[in-house]
Amino acid sequence: FDGSLVSCAVDQEGGGLSVTGKSDILPDGFDGTPWGAQIHVSADGDWLFTSERMSSTITVHRLDAATGGMTKIESVATHACPRGFDVDHTGDWLVAAGEKSDSIVSYAFDRAGGRLMPRATLDVAAGPIWVEILKA
């Protein structure tokens, strides 16, 4: 409950864990009590996304497969209390549900720079909490 994000390597023989990277899911300057929700990794394994309910943000991290480390790229303000979100199989789109906003929002994802760009908002029923993107 402190907004930490930790990556670990697994020892394939003994099952032990070792820390390979540390970061956080919070926007710069956040001083409240964190309340993280979901984590998703892009299908290509290059990007990690998290939602944080108290700051109402989605945070993007670039993953380093060689070291297991991660680099925080940005935290993007989104609709109030983003409990659930999903990334499509192409890695081009992210859709987030704002539990306290009664809407969902779509973002185009720039994989070259790791940036989320809002594209559309759709009002839905009260309190949306889950997003699942299906591959057609």
Side-chain angles (χ1 to χ4, degrees):
F1 291 106
D2 66 357
S4 293
L5 186 61
V6 178
S7 59
C8 297
V10 179
D11 177 327
Q12 295 300 311
E13 291 184 22
L17 298 172
S18 59
V19 173
T20 58
K22 291 183 181 181
S23 190
D24 66 76
I25 66 171
L26 304 169
D28 293 341
F30 180 77
D31 65 356
T33 302
W35 191 20
Q38 285 192 305
I39 297 174
H40 288 281
V41 175
S42 62
D44 61 11
D46 290 340
W47 301 97
L48 182 141
F49 306 89
T50 60
S51 59
E52 202 290 310
R53 293 178 256 199
M54 298 307 287
S55 64
S56 294
T57 55
I58 303 287
T59 299
V60 179
H61 285 81
R62 178 180 278 284
L63 300 177
D64 183 334
T67 66
M70 62 191 123
T71 303
K72 185 160 88 173
I73 303 299
E74 70 173 348
S75 292
V76 176
T78 191
H79 292 201
C81 198
R83 183 170 173 188
F85 73 96
D86 201 3
V87 179
D88 82 315
H89 71 282
T90 68
D92 292 333
W93 298 97
L94 183 147
V95 178
E99 184 177 12
K100 293 185 179 178
S101 69
D102 300 341
S103 61
I104 59 174
V105 59
S106 65
Y107 295 88
F109 182 60
D110 169 23
R111 286 180 278 171
R115 305 290 181 199
L116 289 171
M117 298 159 289
R119 290 296 185 243
T121 296
L122 178 65
D123 292 333
V124 294
I129 60 169
W130 198 261
V131 173
E132 188 78 27
I133 299 175
L134 304 176
K135 184 177 177 181

